[in-house]
Amino acid sequence: MTQAPAPPRATRHRHDREIVALAVPAFGALVAEPLFVLADSAIVGHLGTAQLAGLGIASALLTTAVSVFVFLAYATTAAVARRMGAGDLTSAIRQGMDGIWLALLLGAAVVAAVVPTAPALVELFGASDTAAPYATTYLRISVAGIPAMLVVLAATGVLRGLQDTKTPLYVAVAGFVANAVLNAGLVYGAGLGIAGSAWGTVIAQCGMAAVYLAVVIRGARRHGASLRPDAAGIRASAQAGVPLLVRTLSLRAILMIATAVAARLGDADIAAHQIALSLWSLLAFALDAIAIAGQAIIGRYLGAGDAHGARDACRRMVQWGIAAGLVLGLLVILARPVFLPLFTSDAGVKDAALPALLLVALSQPVSGIVFVLDGVLMGAGDGPYLAWAMVLTLAVFTPAALLIPVLGGGLTALWGAMTLMMTVRMVTLWLRTLSGRWLVTGATR
């Protein structure tokens, strides 16, 4: 992003209105997503430390299985927004339908791969003998909801690209409420324990997918877009997502390495790590609301041929990201004494989690910049650079994390490595935006 004078006040206000209109509903939807894990953690955590540790391992695996395909949302948002900016709504929705069909195919493949390998995957994470059975139970049941979640990702990308973040908000809030009620009822009311939590989540996910499909299909019929699977379109959607898949796999590898290291530190540390990671994810999704607005806005500006508008919007969103990070970090510091008792009464888990949560708080301004610039470059379709930057970040983080148990470090050191990881991401993304090479206009990149 080349240096230029700050945009006039009227331009800043226009960008602010656009950002708020998209980011506020996106904020609610994105916060609701990690609240699924937080609700599960709060309910399962009172069953015992072993159950919470098992949930932590299974959740990391499930989140990885879903999140490696997050390009279904991100790439679709950028592509649909570009075509909307160019005035071709029929083509935009057709691209979204190709993404939905791809999501169903990928979801079926994930289920087929995970169900028979669940015990081996849990063992790979170094789960203790007490936590492993709970992790395996939760994983085998919850994986049934993955096809639905991938459909949700693809359909969400269609709506975001069409500048609609309100519908995803309504669906996400309804899904969270249903998930919490079902989990509480099945875990305690029906006495199913951790299995009840898994089944409640699967049911909620399937309901969300059904609503999204109804909305997208109605839009496709309105604009004359075909609903049939198109092999060439599905293949093109998959190819467009490859760089983002590499980027996401690298990020998920970082989070899996962190969880694996925490698991080897003991049950108290992995339980504390699950709490810290759940909060970190919640804050990350909250900051990503501005990034979601960035994907939609940047894609629309570039599709309409307005590189100057895209540059100004990027600058303004970075300012929003920094401010949001400062506010969220302060809230975490103030809320720590109230936050921890919601998840555990174990004194050892609390002692391990407190300093980790402090590091989470202090790193939020950096996270604000990272998530905003990530969204801006996704909106510009700059996937290859994002892939390269994340591979570099993984190369820096991996030795730092793996040395922690060897050198006798604890959970605080692990979250210090997580802070280092976010700093590396910030530097690589900032250098790219300064270069201006992401400003490529047109209906397709």
Side-chain angles (χ1 to χ4, degrees):
M1 184 171 61
T2 56
Q3 296 293 332
R9 183 183 298 272
T11 302
R12 289 199 303 271
H13 288 173
R14 174 167 56 84
H15 289 313
D16 287 345
R17 288 192 297 271
E18 289 179 334
I19 294 167
V20 169
L22 291 171
V24 171
F27 173 82
L30 289 167
V31 168
E33 291 177 19
L35 283 177
F36 272 70
V37 178
L38 283 173
D40 289 357
S41 298
I43 292 170
V44 172
H46 291 287
L47 293 174
T49 299
Q51 287 91 333
L52 182 58
L55 174 65
I57 294 168
S59 293
L61 288 164
L62 287 164
T63 303
T64 298
V66 174
S67 295
V68 294
F69 301 118
V70 75
F71 69 83
L72 291 166
Y74 291 162
T76 302
T77 297
V80 171
R82 274 185 179 267
R83 285 164 175 76
M84 181 185 181
D88 189 357
L89 284 175
T90 301
S91 176
I93 296 176
R94 174 64 258 184
Q95 173 115 10
M97 288 304 306
D98 291 335
I100 290 173
W101 282 111
L102 178 61
L104 288 170
L105 293 173
L106 292 172
V110 171
V111 173
V114 172
V115 170
T117 60
L121 290 171
V122 170
E123 183 179 357
L124 182 64
F125 264 62
S128 69
D129 291 340
T130 55
Y134 297 111
T136 301
T137 296
Y138 192 92
L139 180 60
R140 276 184 163 158
I141 297 172
S142 291
V143 73
I146 285 183
M149 286 308 298
L150 297 190
V151 168
V152 167
L153 287 176
T156 299
V158 177
L159 297 180
R160 289 173 180 170
L162 295 173
Q163 318 293 294
D164 176 9
T165 55
K166 290 183 179 179
T167 299
L169 169 62
Y170 301 146
V171 177
V173 170
F176 166 70
V177 172
N179 178 69
V181 172
L182 286 166
N183 279 6
L186 293 174
V187 171
Y188 296 111
L192 295 180
I194 196 169
S197 177
W199 280 118
T201 300
V202 169
I203 294 169
Q205 290 166 344
C206 290
M208 292 171 65
V211 173
Y212 271 115
L213 284 174
V215 172
V216 174
I217 289 171
R218 185 169 63 246
R221 288 174 173 166
R222 183 184 307 122
H223 294 285
S226 174
L227 299 174
R228 296 179 179 178
D230 176 67
I234 294 171
R235 186 164 53 249
S237 294
Q239 291 171 347
V242 168
L244 291 181
L245 176 61
V246 172
R247 169 252 181 211
T248 303
L249 283 172
S250 299
L251 177 58
R252 296 313 309 176
I254 288 170
L255 298 181
M256 283 196 299
I257 289 169
T259 300
V261 170
R264 284 164 172 78
L265 297 176
D267 279 2
D269 280 320
I270 183 60
H273 178 71
Q274 169 65 15
I275 293 171
L277 187 61
S278 296
L279 178 62
W280 185 83
S281 298
L282 173 64
L283 298 174
F285 277 109
L287 290 170
D288 208 27
I290 307 172
I292 295 301
Q295 291 176 31
I297 292 170
I298 295 298
R300 191 188 76 234
Y301 273 123
L302 294 179
D306 188 357
H308 179 73
R311 183 186 295 110
D312 286 346
C314 174
R315 181 184 296 107
R316 191 58 174 166
M317 282 182 282
V318 168
Q319 295 170 354
W320 276 70
I322 294 171
L326 289 169
V327 171
L328 291 174
L330 180 61
L331 288 175
V332 171
I333 292 174
L334 295 176
R336 280 186 307 160
V338 178
F339 179 80
L340 277 174
L342 295 175
F343 296 93
T344 183
S345 56
D346 189 311
V349 175
K350 289 181 180 179
D351 290 342
L354 276 171
L357 291 178
L358 179 60
L359 285 173
V360 169
L362 295 176
S363 66
Q364 287 312 294
V366 171
S367 296
I369 297 173
V370 167
F371 284 101
V372 167
L373 293 183
D374 207 38
V376 165
L377 296 182
M378 284 182 188
D382 202 12
Y385 182 85
L386 290 172
W388 173 87
M390 191 58 73
V391 169
L392 175 63
T393 303
L394 173 62
V396 173
F397 173 81
T398 300
L402 294 180
L403 282 173
I404 289 170
V406 176
L407 299 177
L411 190 65
T412 303
L414 176 59
W415 276 91
M418 292 285 286
T419 303
L420 170 66
M421 177 269 293
M422 293 300 293
T423 302
V424 173
R425 289 186 69 190
M426 180 185 69
V427 172
T428 57
L429 297 175
W430 187 257
L431 290 175
R432 184 63 168 184
T433 53
L434 286 175
S435 74
R437 295 176 184 173
W438 54 281
L439 292 165
V440 179
T441 58
T444 59
R445 184 181 171 92

